[in-house]
């Protein structure tokens, strides 16, 4: 089936679920607030190709402040188009039309379309693919154009964009006279696959395939690595490098140190890595679906799974956050997962978790394993949802697990590098496409349900209408009621994800006859015999009890985190105002009882389950022996709230996800001083 | 009193102590083995100013392989001169004379004396003080010259070196027409203070004082930071930077981001930081001793203690190792003390711990507090001693607390950057000077005993001979017998360090009369009344029982390490051949009994106390829940050996200092996969 950014149109969110409320906030508030930011910062008018004072700012190198403005506009258009589908807004409609006019007007005769290299450095086009984001911006323009066409059904945006793609395609590729370049920041690859699927352009497919295949070629251009070749042409030596490159020749930063199929571990900038792998997964899926065999498909598939496993097993926080290291906004070594700045990391950019969701969604088409949907859900309800305030007006870029005085738990209205906020808009706009997948499978119709909420899916199967409705109070309760409406001539298979944290415990009602239901790779497969007999059925995922999570011991994080269903919890000073040191000295014991309570927050109106347990606090001095006085110290009540809920109620900005497990054992602390 | 590199001549090591044996090995073997390396690598002849093929190698930037050759020769000369004092060797004597001739011959007419900038880039002298080590090399030549004069009592080396110092002094300083430069790698400062003390040259004192004061001045040269000014002159932009500079403008790398007195925390390259602070301490001490008031002495003193405390309390491993980060061979953030490469750090360069010893020794002259001597001893017996094999022929540069397959626990015969091996030679050569300090104090003679071993101190007090002998089996036993021989006309105060790990428990015999002994800042002060009555006395430092150390909880290292007296222990596969994963999955319990045994190693002849306890091993998989099966798993015997003893007996190179404390608690490990 197609991309979630297309199929979301078949889904309508129903009821008052967390997801539905959040989508309404984005539609009614966020889209407008972000537009206001675009206007006030100068971005809105950038495609007019007039000079803006910020263009003269040379304090950053090589990337100036305005380099991603093209993509900020494109991502906003894309997200806004998604929301127009079910929540029409005349102002937004008018604004999109105006922006599209400006973009059309900004295109150069030869098809080139980029603000910086038209206004600021017109003689340096394509001279620094490694750092300068021309293709990244192009990729977002492509995605905007596909979304625009999907809503407006006209060619006003896709026409100039296809012209731009043709321009790029002429310049770069494996042919004679072409340059062997590829983008430093992947994005255009996944965009080109979407363009291919939307328009059938095999040029787009082939260009994306070329970018993926050429990447990391050590001798691609005149016997040199492309990035070395272009660097030499710019007259730079490799010790002259952006701040994100800790050492010279840090090509792993942009996943270009070796061809993708040879990469052993996932490294570097985490958004780039996940956009890249999303494209790889899509290439594998589309080539299978459309019968376009690609060379070494097995090698690509192995690399995809190898890099995914490395990320999820060894480089992912239990919030779904990814990318511990601030300097290169990316991956540290295996198991390096400190909770905050004071421990040396925990960057966890919002865009990465959105990208992980995109990647997981693509992999589910290749390998229907609940693990991928588990991660998709984990990211959604935790690192992604925590990145926006409940009022829809403030955002995070970095999503730490523990605050410090230097980096409090707060949100901002905008960022100079504004990738995250409009990415949230795009994701929430197309979220319906992530809930489920559907299509034909031999003589059956299938619906694979990945995420539970209140929603209705409607699609056309061989000209016949199929509707599946799900109703639930997820993520607070595990009961989901389904109602299928499909012509009796259709054989329908429904697969329901069973999250790993449920440990496989569920109740299906009506109770299935033998042979009509089977669990495969974490999906409960309801065969046509069951479905036709029971168009109304309900699933209850069990084990919604609060549970303790501990990171892998090799992380050296001997902490406890409470989770319940897909929701990871944190503690905040808003609920625990006695705390003064960001909960660093607070510990839990696994044998303390945890109680839960359904709360409606007065100020925000948010409804959620809060948790309560006991904690102890130790005084930890700089040196001298520590007394193991945890046992004798009086326990306090500790209130936990969902991580996504943090930083919505004022307070001192003190927050922590993982709390010390069991206190500090006796034993002498070094250095000993008399 | 004077520097340990001078006063060591008053000390004779006696008996068969660990220190005495090691000194003999260095004298008989190491000095020769290092000379052989100097010869075979081309260093030996470098002052002939002939071309060497390695000079053409441009693969490293900006520092070429041979840049420190001057200092390698200088440090070897310095160390060799120390050993000639009590262990004359005709070959070494002849070699030193030959090298000195070559150095003299290498000096340019104007006094300049540097191999690289005479042979390779003669037109670029002093163009890159930040990176190119001209002054660092000069500093080591100064130290060699002082040592040479101390042994040979001639001016053959010190004469050209003083000429070179005058050359530098003309060029750099606060006067009109002078450049406001200072060395990127501090070392010359402490060397100049030694030169001042040896020759009385106030020029040397003032030049060092200038270097310390000017360092970090943001507007020193033409309104700019000197390093920015010279960088611009070289035509570089700040994003062009050595690999040790993670981001552009990383001036903290060489402690030049702000004036020293304003620095809040100790940062950057750890050898540089400790050489620099050694000079600061010496400046404070010498200015007091010689009545040369320096501006803002209080501010300097506060900075010295502030940076020391930051290092020792928050950035030092319990082996005395310092400098967790490989990239800049230096400090990480507070409490970032991972045990090995797989955890992201643990560089702990050998030279740093030698520098910490030098610094601690200097601070003891300013502030007689046993804490500084504790750290000096900790470094000596652990990070420093572990850096040389028992045969004296192999060395470490990096001193991790836990090995990995990528970085096994091994030693090398030499390094391209060979700072550490000859630094060990220098230290062991002058070690006698670190044991104790002595001098006049009002109408008394004092002897402050910092380190215990078998040794004799002899000095002249107002023309009268004083001798103090100490005999002990330290570091294995705490009993130390002293014998003072001094004319009865002298009032002698003896102060004996009481290590912090003794928790103040000691026995002094004969038992003192009231008022004749007092403990101050960790030193047992024996007043003249006691000393004159008891020229023979003995100290027994108690609490030599094995003890468990745990790093500060903020390190996230919830590990246990065994220590006994000043010795920190490790486990090795040589004693525990069942281990296959570098002891990462092995845990201890504090309630397990520890037994000790005096061992003589068959192969090496080394005598030491080994420890034995129980351990448990857990199997830790990548994902899926961990079972807390530690309790049910059968315990194994685990043999511990001194950390300094590691990697002397073959084996697989698996070693660890800190072992998991108490096993992994139950609790679910993320990610959960069904």
């Amino acid at each position: 089936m197609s991309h979630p950014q297309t199929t979301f149109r078949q889904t309508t969110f129903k009821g008052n679920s967390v997801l539905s409320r959040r989508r309404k906030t984005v539609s009614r508030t966020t889209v407008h607030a972000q537009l206001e930011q675009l206007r006030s910062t100068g971005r809105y008018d950038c495609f007019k190709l007039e000079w803006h004072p910020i263009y003269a700012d040379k304090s950053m190198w090589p990337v100036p402040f305005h380099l991603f403005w093209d993509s900020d506009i494109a991502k906003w258009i894309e997200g806004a188009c998604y929301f127009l589908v079910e929540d029409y807004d005349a102002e937004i409609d008018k604004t999109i039309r105006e922006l599209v006019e400006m973009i059309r007007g900004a295109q150069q005769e030869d098809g080139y379309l980029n603000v910086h290299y038209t206004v600021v450095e017109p003689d340096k086009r394509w001279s620094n693919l490694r750092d300068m984001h021309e293709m990244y911006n192009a990729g977002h323009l492509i995605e905007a154009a596909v979304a625009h066409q999907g809503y407006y059904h006209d060619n006003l945006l896709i026409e100039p964009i296809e012209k731009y793609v043709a321009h790029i395609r002429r310049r770069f590729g494996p042919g004679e006279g072409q340059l062997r370049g590829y983008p430093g920041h992947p994005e255009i690859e996944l965009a080109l696959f979407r363009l291919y699927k939307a328009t059938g352009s095999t040029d787009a497919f082939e260009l994306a395939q070329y970018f993926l295949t050429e990447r990391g070629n050590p001798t691609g251009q005149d016997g040199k690595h492309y990035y070395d070749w272009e660097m030499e042409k710019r007259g730079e030596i490799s010790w002259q490098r952006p701040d994100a490159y800790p050492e010279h020749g840090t090509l792993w930063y942009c996943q270009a140190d070796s061809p993708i199929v040879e990469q052993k571990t996932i490294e570097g900038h985490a958004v780039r890595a996940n956009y890249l792998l999303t494209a790889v997964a899509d290439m594998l899926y589309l080539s299978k679906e459309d019968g376009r065999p690609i060379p070494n498909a097995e090698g690509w598939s192995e690399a995809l799974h190898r890099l995914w496993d490395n990320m999820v097993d060894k480089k992912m926080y239990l919030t779904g956050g990814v990318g511990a290291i601030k300097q290169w906004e990316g991956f540290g070594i295996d198991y390096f997962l400190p909770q905050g700045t004071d421990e040396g990391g925990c960057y966890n950019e919002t865009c990465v978790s959105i990208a992980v969701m995109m990647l997981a969604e693509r992999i589910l088409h290749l390998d229907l394993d609940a693990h991928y949907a588990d991660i998709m859900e984990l990211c959604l309800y935790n690192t992604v949802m925590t990145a926006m305030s409940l009022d829809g007006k403030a955002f995070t870029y970095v999503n730490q697990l523990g605050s410090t005085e230097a980096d409090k738990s707060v949100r901002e209205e905008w960022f100079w590098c504004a990738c995250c906020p409009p990415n949230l808009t795009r994701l929430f706009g197309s979220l319906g496409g992530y809930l489920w997948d559907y299509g034909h499978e031999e003589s059956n119709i299938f619906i694979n349900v990945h995420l539970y909420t209140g929603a209705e899916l409607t699609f056309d199967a061989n000209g016949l209408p199929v509707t599946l409705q799900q109703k639930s109070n997820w993520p607070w309760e595990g009961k989901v009621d389904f109602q299928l409406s499909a012509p009796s001539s259709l054989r329908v298979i429904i697969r329901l994800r069973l999250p790993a944290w449920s440990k496989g415990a569920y109740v299906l009602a009506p109770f299935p006859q033998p042979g009509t239901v089977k669990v495969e790779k974490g999906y409960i497969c309801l065969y046509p015999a069951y479905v036709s007999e029971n168009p109304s059925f309900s699933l209850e995922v069990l084990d919604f009890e609060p549970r303790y999570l501990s990171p892998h011991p090799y992380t050296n994080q001997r902490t406890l985190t409470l989770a319940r269903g897909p929701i990871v919890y944190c503690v905040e000073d808003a609920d625990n105002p006695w705390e003064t040191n960001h909960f660093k000295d607070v510990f839990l014991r696994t044998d303390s009882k945890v109680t839960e309570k359904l709360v409606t927050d007065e100020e925000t109106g948010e409804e959620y389950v809060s948790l309560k347990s006991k904690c102890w606090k130790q005084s930890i001095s700089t040196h001298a022996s520590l007394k193991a006085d945890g046992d004798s110290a009086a326990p306090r009540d500790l209130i936990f709230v969902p991580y996504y809920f943090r930083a919505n109620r004022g307070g001192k900005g003190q927050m922590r996800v993982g709390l010390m497990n069991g206190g500090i054992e006796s034993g002498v602390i070094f250095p000993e001083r008399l």
Side-chain angles (χ1 to χ4, degrees), chain A residues 125-291:
Chain A
R125 280 185 192 180
W126 309 119
S127 63
N128 187 349
L129 297 190
R130 190 189 68 184
D131 304 319
M132 294 303 275
H133 291 71
E134 268 160 304
M135 291 197 191
Y136 169 85
N137 281 323
H140 278 301
L141 283 169
I142 294 168
E143 290 203 274
V146 173
H148 180 273
Q149 193 193 42
Y151 177 70
Y152 287 97
H153 304 292
D154 65 31
N155 289 328
L156 281 174
L157 188 52
I158 208 150
E159 182 247 354
I161 297 308
E162 288 200 295
K163 196 171 156 195
Y164 188 22
V165 170
H167 173 97
I168 296 170
R169 173 91 162 113
R170 279 195 301 278
R171 191 171 195 103
F172 298 100
E176 202 163 331
Q178 287 183 301
L179 290 171
R180 297 294 185 277
Y182 45 87
H185 194 315
E187 143 65 20
I188 194 171
E189 300 88 341
L190 71 86
L192 286 166
F193 287 127
R194 285 187 58 198
L195 181 65
Y196 157 73
K197 204 64 200 168
T199 67
S201 158
T202 55
D203 258 22
F205 187 100
E206 286 167 12
L207 182 56
Q209 183 181 353
Y210 156 75
F211 283 147
L212 293 177
T213 309
E214 182 64 22
R215 190 171 205 87
N217 183 346
T219 56
Q221 185 72 45
D222 299 351
K224 295 178 179 170
H225 191 290
Y226 188 83
Y227 294 159
D228 290 337
W229 175 85
E230 63 166 17
M231 181 184 69
E232 287 172 26
K233 281 202 78 170
R234 291 195 303 275
E236 294 167 10
I237 65 168
S238 69
W239 282 275
Q240 179 176 335
R241 59 199 195 275
D243 274 353
Y245 291 56
E247 299 190 341
H248 81 285
T250 308
L251 289 172
W252 52 256
Y253 165 68
C254 45
Q255 299 83 42
D257 53 327
S258 65
I260 297 169
V261 291
E262 295 174 16
Q263 294 174 14
K264 300 278 176 273
T265 50
I266 193 161
E267 302 295 341
H269 190 275
V271 175
R272 299 181 195 218
N274 278 282
Y275 282 176
L276 190 64
L277 292 181
T278 299
V280 170
D282 214 18
M283 176 174 73
L284 286 167
Y285 175 65
L286 294 176
S287 68
K288 197 174 70 175
E289 187 184 51
D290 297 351

Side-chain angles (χ1 to χ4, degrees), chain A residues 47 67-76 136-137 140-141 422:
Chain A
F47 281 106
L67 196 73
F68 324 115
W69 282 14
D70 312 42
S71 71
D72 296 335
I73 295 293
K75 285 159 83 175
W76 183 86
Y136 169 85
N137 281 323
H140 278 301
L141 283 169

Side-chain angles (χ1 to χ4, degrees), chain A residues 111-132:
Chain A
Y112 188 76
L113 183 46
N114 178 286
V115 173
H116 175 83
Y117 284 108
T118 304
V119 179
V120 186
E121 297 191 290
D123 53 335
K124 294 198 175 160
R125 280 185 192 180
W126 309 119
S127 63
N128 187 349
L129 297 190
R130 190 189 68 184
D131 304 319
M132 294 303 275

Side-chain angles (χ1 to χ4, degrees), chain A residues 30-43:
Chain A
T30 309
V31 173
H32 291 270
Q34 292 182 348
L35 175 58
E36 188 45 47
Q37 291 289 345
L38 296 178
R39 289 192 198 274
S40 66
T41 57
R43 286 164 168 84

Side-chain angles (χ1 to χ4, degrees), chain A residues 321-327 329 339-341 345-352 383 386-388 395-402 407-412 415 417 419-421 643 646 655:
Chain A
V322 151
I325 309 293
K326 179 179 182 176
Q327 187 181 0
E329 301 184 296
Q339 286 203 84
T341 313
C346 208
Y347 196 71
N348 288 355
E349 186 182 336
T350 301
C351 285
V352 185
T383 321
T386 205
M388 189 177 77
F395 311 93
T396 58
Y397 193 107
V398 169
N399 297 289
Q400 298 186 103
L401 272 66
D407 281 306
K408 293 183 181 174
S409 177
V410 291
R411 297 195 182 80
E412 306 287 339
F415 308 95
C417 174
C419 50
C420 301
Y643 178 59
R646 70 175 167 119
M655 183 277 305

Side-chain angles (χ1 to χ4, degrees), chain A residues 299-360:
Chain A
W300 283 105
S301 175
E302 282 170 12
L304 174 66
H305 285 90
R306 180 169 68 239
L307 299 175
W308 168 275
D309 285 347
N310 181 237
M311 174 170 75
V312 171
D313 291 343
K314 299 183 180 173
K315 298 182 176 181
M316 182 175 272
Y317 286 89
L318 41 68
T319 55
V322 151
I325 309 293
K326 179 179 182 176
Q327 187 181 0
W328 53 88
E329 301 184 296
F331 300 103
I333 58 174
D334 287 352
Y335 298 115
F336 186 74
L337 296 170
Q339 286 203 84
T341 313
D342 57 338
E343 297 178 3
C346 208
Y347 196 71
N348 288 355
E349 186 182 336
T350 301
C351 285
V352 185
S353 289
I354 293 173
V356 172
M357 287 184 65
M358 291 166 62
L359 171 57

Side-chain angles (χ1 to χ4, degrees), chain A residues 377-573:
Chain A
E377 182 177 61
L378 178 77
C379 290
L380 173 60
Y381 280 108
N382 299 287
T383 321
V384 172
M385 283 219 327
T386 205
M388 189 177 77
S389 59
L390 290 177
D391 68 6
K393 294 176 182 172
F395 311 93
T396 58
Y397 193 107
V398 169
N399 297 289
Q400 298 186 103
L401 272 66
S403 60
T404 52
E405 278 304 290
D407 281 306
K408 293 183 181 174
S409 177
V410 291
R411 297 195 182 80
E412 306 287 339
E413 289 189 0
W414 198 245
F415 308 95
W416 75 263
C417 174
C419 50
C420 301
N423 230 352
L424 286 163
T425 307
R426 297 198 308 160
L427 178 81
F428 279 111
S430 58
L431 189 61
Y434 292 82
L435 302 187
W436 29 33
D437 178 29
Y438 58 92
H440 295 265
E441 193 178 80
E442 292 161 11
S443 61
N444 301 322
I445 299 298
F446 74 87
I447 305 173
N448 301 332
V449 185
H450 306 312
L451 301 177
Y452 303 117
T453 186
E456 185 177 277
L457 172 71
T458 309
F459 63 97
D460 196 272
N462 308 329
L464 301 170
V466 177
T467 299
L468 180 64
Q469 203 175 70
Q470 56 163 312
K471 270 190 202 167
S472 80
N473 192 25
W474 198 276
W476 313 120
E477 291 170 27
K479 178 105 182 301
V480 194
D481 295 317
F482 289 92
Q483 173 71 53
L484 178 74
S485 158
S488 57
S489 61
L490 290 177
R491 287 169 52 86
V492 180
I493 292 179
I494 296 177
R495 297 192 185 85
L496 307 174
R497 178 181 60 109
L498 203 47
W501 45 261
S502 74
K503 301 194 185 74
Y506 71 96
V507 175
L508 185 68
F511 195 83
Q513 297 296 317
T516 61
V517 163
K518 186 179 167 191
V519 177
E520 281 183 302
K521 289 182 164 184
Y523 281 84
I524 310 163
C525 179
L526 313 182
Y527 290 119
Y530 181 90
V531 174
S532 61
E533 191 76 14
N534 306 291
S536 286
F537 57 91
S538 74
L539 167 72
E540 183 163 11
V541 175
L542 299 178
D543 216 353
F544 256 74
E545 295 298 303
R547 64 194 191 280
Y548 285 109
L549 302 180
S550 297
H552 193 282
Y554 290 172
T555 61
N556 288 338
Q557 290 284 342
R558 290 174 72 170
T559 53
L560 292 174
T561 293
L562 274 175
R564 183 181 178 280
I567 301 290
V568 175
Y569 282 76
C570 70
V571 291
E572 282 200 299
D573 66 274

